[in-house]
Amino acid sequence: MRTGNEPVTARSPLRLRFWLSLWGLVWAAGGAAAFSLAARTGWAAACAALALVAAVDLAVVVRHMHQGPHYQPGPDVPPYEPPRSR
């Protein structure tokens, strides 16, 4: 059941997700480059695909960060009623 203080205590995971995506992108791109130089095409392709996933996730996170905060009900909004059994 909702207590009514969620907007006050809520934390956004976007900054953490941004840094983890950036970290993954750097390592995956570095792995793709290293495996390409070592002539390991399968591993290079896997790392390149992982780098692509990290880049897309990074773009989504940046887009969400630029959108800014969304509406959250204030402390004057009462908690939700629990569902009634039928």
Side-chain angles (χ1 to χ4, degrees):
M1 186 169 132
R2 189 172 160 237
T3 62
N5 68 347
E6 287 86 357
V8 176
T9 59
R11 300 284 177 132
S12 174
L14 288 177
R15 283 192 185 144
L16 175 64
R17 194 167 147 198
F18 172 81
W19 289 111
L20 288 175
S21 293
L22 189 62
W23 180 257
L25 178 63
V26 167
W27 277 99
F35 282 123
S36 292
L37 292 174
R40 300 280 191 156
T41 56
W43 284 104
C47 285
L50 189 59
L52 180 65
V53 169
V56 168
D57 185 47
L58 191 62
V60 168
V61 168
V62 168
R63 180 176 172 266
H64 282 278
M65 289 174 83
H66 282 250
Q67 284 179 343
H70 296 289
Y71 169 75
Q72 294 289 325
D76 57 333
V77 177
Y80 294 127
E81 292 283 328
R84 296 180 184 183
S85 59
R86 295 182 180 200

